[in-house]
């Protein structure tokens, strides 16, 4: 499978979670495979009574790794949940969707427990809040679904203005919390998206450059070669055709 700019191998007893925020593509290596899938949208999963919001869980955060190798005991538990969901989906029970919602939350929490994240702190520093807001703002611009309109935010100054902070302050905060400058983080995300568009769309290089907010193809090619160590055309030929 391909997920963002990664290509993790999915073997037996593997769980795979994706969100619409990150493009993915399933590439089966054999026809001899079986499993379960469950597709749902935000409207189906209302906030839990506890106040948990799906998008705030660590397993659905930008950068979270989507593939889990599942131990046999956990695999049995996960399969049982899917079987209950499949059975209920075909039933005539009037409140089956409430029950399905409960099963789905059970599945999500089971997965969350497989790789528990540190408990969130009761308070966050101002720097952490700004860094989190920057990351959210950056991810909101992706994935790209059309060459037009181009990216609204492209530079460190654009993000600083949107966050109502000085560009030097934003850079200092991100360097402190992530170890990278604002420009480096933006460039890394742009490179990731450019690779995806080159691999998974038929857009011309000019259209990709426009979509990502570059002034012209030459600037995009220079940027891509600097960060990917090859031209966009060479990357596409190798990724798509193996040439």
């Amino acid at each position: 499978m391909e997920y963002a700019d990664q290509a993790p191998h999915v073997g037996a007893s593997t769980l795979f979670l994706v969100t619409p925020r990150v493009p993915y593509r399933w590439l089966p290596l054999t026809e001899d495979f079986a499993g379960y899938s469950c597709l749902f949208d935000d409207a189906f999963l209302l906030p839990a009574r506890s106040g948990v919001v799906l998008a705030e869980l660590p397993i659905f955060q930008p950068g979270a790794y989507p593939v889990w190798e599942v131990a046999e005991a956990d695999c049995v538990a996960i399969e049982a949940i899917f079987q209950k969901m499949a059975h209920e989906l075909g039933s005539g029970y009037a409140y089956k969707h409430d029950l399905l919602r409960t099963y789905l939350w059970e599945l999500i929490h089971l997965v969350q427990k497989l790789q528990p994240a540190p408990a969130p702190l009761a308070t966050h520093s101002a720097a952490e809040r700004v860094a989190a807001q920057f990351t959210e703002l950056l991810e909101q611009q992706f994935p790209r679904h059309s060459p037009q309109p181009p990216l609204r935010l492209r530079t460190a100054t654009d993000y600083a203005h949107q966050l109502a902070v000085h560009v030097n302050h934003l850079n200092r905060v991100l360097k402190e919390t992530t170890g990278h400058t604002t420009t480096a983080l933006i460039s890394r995300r742009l490179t990731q998206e450019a690779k995806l568009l080159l691999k998974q769309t038929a857009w011309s290089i000019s259209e990709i450059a426009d979509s990502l907010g570059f002034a012209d193809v030459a600037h995009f090619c220079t940027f891509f070669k600097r960060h990917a160590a090859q031209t966009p055309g060479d990357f596409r030929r190798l990724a798509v055709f193996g040439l």
Side-chain angles (χ1 to χ4, degrees):
M1 60 163 288
E2 293 179 349
Y3 182 83
D5 60 350
Q6 306 176 65
H9 175 71
V10 178
S13 301
T14 302
L15 192 65
F16 175 45
L17 294 178
V18 296
T19 79
R21 299 168 68 178
V22 181
Y24 71 94
R25 180 167 57 168
W26 182 258
L27 299 171
L29 301 178
T30 174
E31 295 182 359
D32 184 23
F33 66 92
Y36 298 90
S37 65
C38 177
L39 305 178
F40 60 93
D41 59 18
D42 291 338
F44 182 72
L45 270 189
L46 302 174
R49 182 176 297 179
S50 64
V52 174
V53 178
L54 188 69
E56 295 178 358
L57 288 173
I59 57 174
F60 290 112
Q61 293 304 301
Y65 196 63
V67 179
W68 282 266
E69 294 288 340
V70 181
E72 183 176 352
D74 292 320
C75 187
V76 171
I78 291 171
E79 185 174 9
I81 295 173
F82 273 112
Q83 289 176 345
K84 288 191 294 185
M85 293 171 71
H87 173 76
E88 203 58 52
L89 193 60
S91 77
Y93 181 49
Y95 304 102
K96 65 181 179 182
H97 290 100
D98 288 328
L99 197 50
L100 286 167
R101 194 173 289 113
T102 299
Y103 291 150
L104 187 52
W105 272 116
E106 181 183 359
L107 178 62
I108 289 168
H109 282 295
L110 193 156
V111 176
Q112 181 63 54
K113 288 167 63 178
L114 293 179
Q115 292 190 352
L121 299 176
T123 59
H124 299 281
S125 69
E128 289 171 328
R129 287 195 296 272
V130 171
Q133 290 169 351
F134 167 81
T135 300
E136 180 66 22
L137 203 56
L138 179 63
E139 290 299 329
Q140 282 176 0
Q141 300 199 100
F142 305 101
R144 303 296 296 165
H145 299 294
S146 171
Q148 295 295 331
L151 284 182
R152 185 170 59 91
L153 305 175
R154 272 284 284 111
T155 68
T157 301
D158 292 337
Y159 282 91
H161 179 74
Q162 189 70 20
L163 294 170
V165 298
H166 193 279
V167 65
N168 291 342
H169 175 69
L170 178 61
N171 196 58
R172 185 167 57 251
V173 162
L174 293 176
K175 186 71 174 176
E176 174 188 325
T177 56
T178 72
H180 301 284
T181 65
T182 312
T183 299
L185 292 170
I186 296 170
S187 296
R188 183 171 66 183
R189 189 62 181 87
L190 284 171
T191 303
Q192 180 188 67
E193 190 69 12
K195 288 180 177 180
L196 289 170
L197 295 174
L198 288 165
K199 288 168 62 176
Q200 299 183 3
T201 75
W203 300 0
S204 68
I205 292 176
S206 176
E207 288 176 320
I208 293 173
D210 287 342
S211 179
L212 296 180
F214 288 88
D216 52 49
V217 176
H219 280 87
F220 171 64
C221 290
T222 300
F223 169 88
F224 190 86
K225 188 170 184 179
R226 183 189 313 128
H227 293 281
Q230 56 189 149
T231 67
D234 288 343
F235 177 85
R236 172 171 271 174
R237 281 189 291 273
L238 183 62
V240 177
F241 305 109
L243 301 177

